Amino acid sequence: MSFFKRIFSSEKKETLDKGLEQTKTSFFAKLTKAVAGKSTVDEDVLDNLEEVLVASDVGVKTTLKIIDRIEERVSKDKYLGTDELNKILREEIAGLLSETNSGEATEFDIPSTKKPYVIMVVGVNGVGKTTTIGKLAFQFKKVGYKVVLGAADTFRAAAIDQLQIWADRVGVPIVKQQMGSDPASVAFDTLQSAITQNADIVIIDTAGRLHNKVNLMNELTKVKRVMQKVVDDAPHDVLLVLDGSTGQNAFEQAREFTAATEVTCLAVTKLDGTAKGGVVIGISDQFQIPVKYIGVGEGIEDLQVFNKYEFVDSFFN
């Protein structure tokens, strides 16, 4: 029986279960080994559990938090059987995710008070940024929103072409200029076009180079400033896309981008092809930035809103 009340449809839940399968299998294989021959949760078990969590890319700081909480329960309850460890872990991870103001969503939605709702997307090349924008546009259009895309990653011709392919595939308008154009100019034109078209949502792609953080910071600041000439409180979200399959490297990217600009939410992609799904728990906790979306497959439907109850349920079920 499910530990949490069913929120997702059975089809969506099945996709999530399948997407987290490698992470779950790897985690529980390590966990089984960690408690082998033990009947109670003692110091050895906790040491082994710590190794399992770190190896699952939950991150050191978050792992120590989880271990401390389990130690508290062990000292309070005096006797905790290893058979109860799954349940305890599940509760503590869900509790940890609850402390970040995220993971309550069940559908692709935006506040009705902002129109157009402007999402600026950041992230290094290769993390699935353009694909995430395309899938996000598809999901928003599917629920009835009018979406406009802006190709402000003018650093690479391929980025503009890729976004055009997604715009054609989803059937949404795109605003673009030539490679090497001023990204802020593209963002400005996109917002003006969106207002003319009475669009609900604008998704702006931006360059993903991190070799010079100062340049990146200046560029993103300029893009924001120019957008605010059209929509005074834009962007409403700065979405950082991270590749979940890179594990600890995703933590580094989160650290770099949060230093370069104010990131308001996260999308963690490529969770279906990796055993490193624990990175979602660690990044959400460590940066206290809400995870809004997760990629759990290659299909256009396989970008999901992140719901912590369903995520933890799939992880432990």
Side-chain angles (χ1 to χ4, degrees):
M1 190 178 123
S2 176
F3 180 72
F4 298 104
K5 184 183 168 191
R6 177 51 43 86
I7 299 165
F8 284 179
S9 66
S10 55
E11 191 184 344
K12 204 151 81 168
K13 180 64 169 167
E14 200 177 302
T15 304
L16 181 61
D17 287 347
K18 195 177 171 193
L20 293 177
E21 201 170 333
Q22 283 193 47
T23 295
K24 180 179 156 180
T25 305
S26 168
F27 180 78
F28 283 105
K30 289 173 187 152
L31 188 62
T32 304
K33 204 172 166 186
V35 300
K38 298 278 187 177
S39 58
T40 59
V41 177
D42 58 16
E43 209 170 304
D44 281 351
V45 168
L46 288 172
D47 283 347
N48 292 340
L49 177 60
E50 190 177 314
E51 281 179 33
V52 169
L53 289 167
V54 170
S56 301
D57 287 278
V58 171
V60 175
K61 286 183 182 175
T62 304
T63 293
L64 293 175
K65 241 188 231 187
I66 294 167
I67 297 296
D68 284 348
R69 291 175 182 212
I70 294 173
E71 274 179 337
E72 264 180 53
R73 289 178 70 157
V74 169
S75 63
K76 197 163 64 181
D77 297 352
K78 298 299 175 203
Y79 181 92
L80 275 178
T82 49
D83 55 338
E84 294 172 272
L85 197 54
N86 268 12
K87 180 174 172 286
I88 296 161
L89 259 176
R90 183 182 204 157
E91 287 169 4
E92 294 306 337
I93 288 170
L96 207 60
L97 288 170
S98 295
E99 287 166 20
T100 306
N101 184 24
S102 72
E104 301 284 348
T106 57
E107 299 297 338
F108 286 86
D109 205 3
I110 52 158
S112 56
T113 51
K114 311 278 185 188
K115 185 173 178 173
Y117 191 83
V118 182
I119 303 167
M120 184 167 90
V121 185
V122 299
V124 298
N125 300 328
V127 295
K129 185 162 56 87
T130 313
T131 301
T132 299
I133 293 169
K135 290 180 178 180
L136 203 49
F138 169 79
Q139 294 288 4
F140 281 136
K141 187 185 176 190
K142 191 176 157 190
V143 292
Y145 290 116
K146 189 169 185 181
V147 185
V148 174
L149 303 183
D153 181 354
T154 57
F155 190 64
R156 293 184 311 131
I160 301 169
D161 295 343
Q162 284 163 7
L163 201 63
Q164 179 69 65
I165 290 165
W166 273 105
D168 294 342
R169 185 177 177 190
V170 176
V172 296
I174 180 173
V175 175
K176 62 181 184 177
Q177 293 178 15
Q178 296 301 310
M179 180 190 165
S181 302
D182 180 9
S185 168
V186 179
F188 183 86
D189 287 355
T190 306
L191 262 60
Q192 281 200 318
S193 175
I195 287 168
T196 304
Q197 296 179 63
N198 196 28
D200 301 297
I201 300 170
V202 176
I203 309 175
I204 306 273
D205 189 15
T206 63
R209 56 194 186 281
L210 255 181
H211 60 264
N212 187 325
K213 200 160 64 184
V214 176
N215 283 356
L216 179 74
M217 193 184 299
N218 291 342
E219 185 177 292
L220 295 177
T221 303
K222 184 184 173 188
V223 170
K224 283 183 186 180
R225 193 173 63 245
V226 170
M227 282 199 285
Q228 285 163 5
K229 291 178 181 177
V230 188
V231 177
D232 59 10
D233 56 350
H236 303 109
D237 261 332
V238 178
L239 174 68
L240 171 60
V241 181
L242 297 167
D243 178 348
S245 71
T246 62
Q248 290 307 299
N249 195 30
F251 277 88
E252 286 310 310
Q253 286 173 27
R255 201 168 283 114
E256 293 283 328
F257 271 98
T258 50
T261 190
E262 188 188 351
V263 174
T264 61
C265 56
L266 304 169
V268 185
T269 65
K270 307 183 189 181
L271 291 174
D272 54 306
T274 181
K276 297 175 186 283
V279 76
V280 174
I281 300 159
I283 284 177
S284 173
D285 169 60
Q286 206 165 309
F287 294 94
Q288 290 297 298
I289 297 169
V291 175
K292 257 197 180 177
Y293 312 108
I294 54 173
V296 289
E298 289 180 13
I300 198 166
E301 298 265 9
D302 294 340
L303 182 76
Q304 295 192 350
V305 291
F306 175 68
N307 183 282
K308 60 196 167 200
Y309 306 110
E310 293 288 18
F311 181 86
V312 175
D313 189 60
S314 285
F315 196 84
F316 283 94
N317 206 8

PDB file of all heavy atoms in Angstrom, residues 123-139:
ATOM      1  N   GLY A 123      21.555  27.568 -17.272  1.00  0.00           N
ATOM      2  CA  GLY A 123      22.164  26.241 -17.114  1.00  0.00           C
ATOM      3  C   GLY A 123      23.261  26.050 -18.145  1.00  0.00           C
ATOM      4  O   GLY A 123      23.215  26.663 -19.216  1.00  0.00           O
ATOM      5  N   VAL A 124      24.247  25.209 -17.832  1.00  0.00           N
ATOM      6  CA  VAL A 124      25.349  25.006 -18.778  1.00  0.00           C
ATOM      7  C   VAL A 124      24.873  24.181 -19.979  1.00  0.00           C
ATOM      8  O   VAL A 124      23.856  23.491 -19.906  1.00  0.00           O
ATOM      9  CB  VAL A 124      26.580  24.317 -18.118  1.00  0.00           C
ATOM     10  CG1 VAL A 124      27.148  25.178 -17.000  1.00  0.00           C
ATOM     11  CG2 VAL A 124      26.247  22.926 -17.606  1.00  0.00           C
ATOM     12  N   ASN A 125      25.622  24.280 -21.064  1.00  0.00           N
ATOM     13  CA  ASN A 125      25.285  23.509 -22.267  1.00  0.00           C
ATOM     14  C   ASN A 125      25.389  22.014 -21.962  1.00  0.00           C
ATOM     15  O   ASN A 125      26.298  21.586 -21.257  1.00  0.00           O
ATOM     16  CB  ASN A 125      26.246  23.864 -23.407  1.00  0.00           C
ATOM     17  CG  ASN A 125      26.169  25.341 -23.763  1.00  0.00           C
ATOM     18  OD1 ASN A 125      25.117  25.953 -23.650  1.00  0.00           O
ATOM     19  ND2 ASN A 125      27.294  25.909 -24.172  1.00  0.00           N
ATOM     20  N   GLY A 126      24.441  21.255 -22.499  1.00  0.00           N
ATOM     21  CA  GLY A 126      24.501  19.796 -22.359  1.00  0.00           C
ATOM     22  C   GLY A 126      23.680  19.221 -21.221  1.00  0.00           C
ATOM     23  O   GLY A 126      23.585  18.012 -21.076  1.00  0.00           O
ATOM     24  N   VAL A 127      23.051  20.088 -20.421  1.00  0.00           N
ATOM     25  CA  VAL A 127      22.273  19.571 -19.278  1.00  0.00           C
ATOM     26  C   VAL A 127      20.828  19.236 -19.661  1.00  0.00           C
ATOM     27  O   VAL A 127      20.074  18.692 -18.860  1.00  0.00           O
ATOM     28  CB  VAL A 127      22.262  20.568 -18.083  1.00  0.00           C
ATOM     29  CG1 VAL A 127      23.646  20.736 -17.505  1.00  0.00           C
ATOM     30  CG2 VAL A 127      21.647  21.917 -18.472  1.00  0.00           C
ATOM     31  N   GLY A 128      20.454  19.601 -20.898  1.00  0.00           N
ATOM     32  CA  GLY A 128      19.068  19.371 -21.327  1.00  0.00           C
ATOM     33  C   GLY A 128      18.230  20.628 -21.202  1.00  0.00           C
ATOM     34  O   GLY A 128      17.007  20.564 -21.083  1.00  0.00           O
ATOM     35  N   LYS A 129      18.891  21.782 -21.277  1.00  0.00           N
ATOM     36  CA  LYS A 129      18.197  23.075 -21.101  1.00  0.00           C
ATOM     37  C   LYS A 129      17.155  23.323 -22.195  1.00  0.00           C
ATOM     38  O   LYS A 129      15.987  23.593 -21.907  1.00  0.00           O
ATOM     39  CB  LYS A 129      19.253  24.189 -21.062  1.00  0.00           C
ATOM     40  CG  LYS A 129      18.747  25.576 -20.775  1.00  0.00           C
ATOM     41  CD  LYS A 129      19.866  26.523 -20.327  1.00  0.00           C
ATOM     42  CE  LYS A 129      21.015  26.614 -21.319  1.00  0.00           C
ATOM     43  NZ  LYS A 129      20.800  27.619 -22.367  1.00  0.00           N
ATOM     44  N   THR A 130      17.593  23.207 -23.458  1.00  0.00           N
ATOM     45  CA  THR A 130      16.675  23.470 -24.581  1.00  0.00           C
ATOM     46  C   THR A 130      15.539  22.450 -24.606  1.00  0.00           C
ATOM     47  O   THR A 130      14.381  22.801 -24.843  1.00  0.00           O
ATOM     48  CB  THR A 130      17.448  23.447 -25.924  1.00  0.00           C
ATOM     49  OG1 THR A 130      18.625  24.233 -25.785  1.00  0.00           O
ATOM     50  CG2 THR A 130      16.611  24.008 -27.045  1.00  0.00           C
ATOM     51  N   THR A 131      15.879  21.195 -24.337  1.00  0.00           N
ATOM     52  CA  THR A 131      14.860  20.133 -24.295  1.00  0.00           C
ATOM     53  C   THR A 131      13.845  20.418 -23.190  1.00  0.00           C
ATOM     54  O   THR A 131      12.634  20.251 -23.377  1.00  0.00           O
ATOM     55  CB  THR A 131      15.536  18.764 -24.063  1.00  0.00           C
ATOM     56  OG1 THR A 131      16.465  18.535 -25.123  1.00  0.00           O
ATOM     57  CG2 THR A 131      14.530  17.629 -24.031  1.00  0.00           C
ATOM     58  N   THR A 132      14.335  20.856 -22.035  1.00  0.00           N
ATOM     59  CA  THR A 132      13.440  21.181 -20.913  1.00  0.00           C
ATOM     60  C   THR A 132      12.511  22.325 -21.294  1.00  0.00           C
ATOM     61  O   THR A 132      11.308  22.279 -20.992  1.00  0.00           O
ATOM     62  CB  THR A 132      14.262  21.542 -19.657  1.00  0.00           C
ATOM     63  OG1 THR A 132      15.055  20.404 -19.291  1.00  0.00           O
ATOM     64  CG2 THR A 132      13.372  21.928 -18.485  1.00  0.00           C
ATOM     65  N   ILE A 133      13.046  23.345 -21.972  1.00  0.00           N
ATOM     66  CA  ILE A 133      12.206  24.469 -22.415  1.00  0.00           C
ATOM     67  C   ILE A 133      11.115  23.977 -23.369  1.00  0.00           C
ATOM     68  O   ILE A 133       9.939  24.326 -23.228  1.00  0.00           O
ATOM     69  CB  ILE A 133      13.067  25.561 -23.101  1.00  0.00           C
ATOM     70  CG1 ILE A 133      13.993  26.227 -22.078  1.00  0.00           C
ATOM     71  CG2 ILE A 133      12.189  26.607 -23.787  1.00  0.00           C
ATOM     72  CD1 ILE A 133      15.068  27.119 -22.685  1.00  0.00           C
ATOM     73  N   GLY A 134      11.506  23.118 -24.313  1.00  0.00           N
ATOM     74  CA  GLY A 134      10.540  22.568 -25.271  1.00  0.00           C
ATOM     75  C   GLY A 134       9.443  21.760 -24.586  1.00  0.00           C
ATOM     76  O   GLY A 134       8.253  21.920 -24.886  1.00  0.00           O
ATOM     77  N   LYS A 135       9.856  20.908 -23.668  1.00  0.00           N
ATOM     78  CA  LYS A 135       8.881  20.060 -22.952  1.00  0.00           C
ATOM     79  C   LYS A 135       7.982  20.888 -22.038  1.00  0.00           C
ATOM     80  O   LYS A 135       6.801  20.583 -21.863  1.00  0.00           O
ATOM     81  CB  LYS A 135       9.609  18.980 -22.161  1.00  0.00           C
ATOM     82  CG  LYS A 135      10.254  17.911 -23.041  1.00  0.00           C
ATOM     83  CD  LYS A 135      10.970  16.850 -22.213  1.00  0.00           C
ATOM     84  CE  LYS A 135      11.575  15.773 -23.097  1.00  0.00           C
ATOM     85  NZ  LYS A 135      12.268  14.734 -22.311  1.00  0.00           N
ATOM     86  N   LEU A 136       8.577  21.926 -21.461  1.00  0.00           N
ATOM     87  CA  LEU A 136       7.808  22.822 -20.591  1.00  0.00           C
ATOM     88  C   LEU A 136       6.754  23.563 -21.408  1.00  0.00           C
ATOM     89  O   LEU A 136       5.586  23.675 -20.995  1.00  0.00           O
ATOM     90  CB  LEU A 136       8.781  23.815 -19.942  1.00  0.00           C
ATOM     91  CG  LEU A 136       8.409  24.503 -18.630  1.00  0.00           C
ATOM     92  CD1 LEU A 136       7.905  23.515 -17.599  1.00  0.00           C
ATOM     93  CD2 LEU A 136       9.598  25.270 -18.076  1.00  0.00           C
ATOM     94  N   ALA A 137       7.169  24.032 -22.592  1.00  0.00           N
ATOM     95  CA  ALA A 137       6.226  24.718 -23.490  1.00  0.00           C
ATOM     96  C   ALA A 137       5.085  23.781 -23.875  1.00  0.00           C
ATOM     97  O   ALA A 137       3.911  24.173 -23.899  1.00  0.00           O
ATOM     98  CB  ALA A 137       6.965  25.200 -24.743  1.00  0.00           C
ATOM     99  N   PHE A 138       5.438  22.516 -24.146  1.00  0.00           N
ATOM    100  CA  PHE A 138       4.434  21.520 -24.509  1.00  0.00           C
ATOM    101  C   PHE A 138       3.424  21.322 -23.369  1.00  0.00           C
ATOM    102  O   PHE A 138       2.207  21.307 -23.590  1.00  0.00           O
ATOM    103  CB  PHE A 138       5.124  20.184 -24.836  1.00  0.00           C
ATOM    104  CG  PHE A 138       4.176  19.025 -24.968  1.00  0.00           C
ATOM    105  CD1 PHE A 138       3.443  18.832 -26.128  1.00  0.00           C
ATOM    106  CD2 PHE A 138       3.999  18.124 -23.910  1.00  0.00           C
ATOM    107  CE1 PHE A 138       2.554  17.770 -26.241  1.00  0.00           C
ATOM    108  CE2 PHE A 138       3.119  17.065 -24.017  1.00  0.00           C
ATOM    109  CZ  PHE A 138       2.388  16.878 -25.184  1.00  0.00           C
ATOM    110  N   GLN A 139       3.942  21.170 -22.148  1.00  0.00           N
ATOM    111  CA  GLN A 139       3.063  20.922 -20.993  1.00  0.00           C
ATOM    112  C   GLN A 139       2.163  22.120 -20.704  1.00  0.00           C
ATOM    113  O   GLN A 139       0.979  21.963 -20.413  1.00  0.00           O
ATOM    114  CB  GLN A 139       3.901  20.589 -19.743  1.00  0.00           C
ATOM    115  CG  GLN A 139       4.676  19.281 -19.825  1.00  0.00           C
ATOM    116  CD  GLN A 139       3.806  18.036 -19.726  1.00  0.00           C
ATOM    117  OE1 GLN A 139       2.580  18.108 -19.657  1.00  0.00           O
ATOM    118  NE2 GLN A 139       4.434  16.874 -19.737  1.00  0.00           N
TER     119      GLN A 139
END
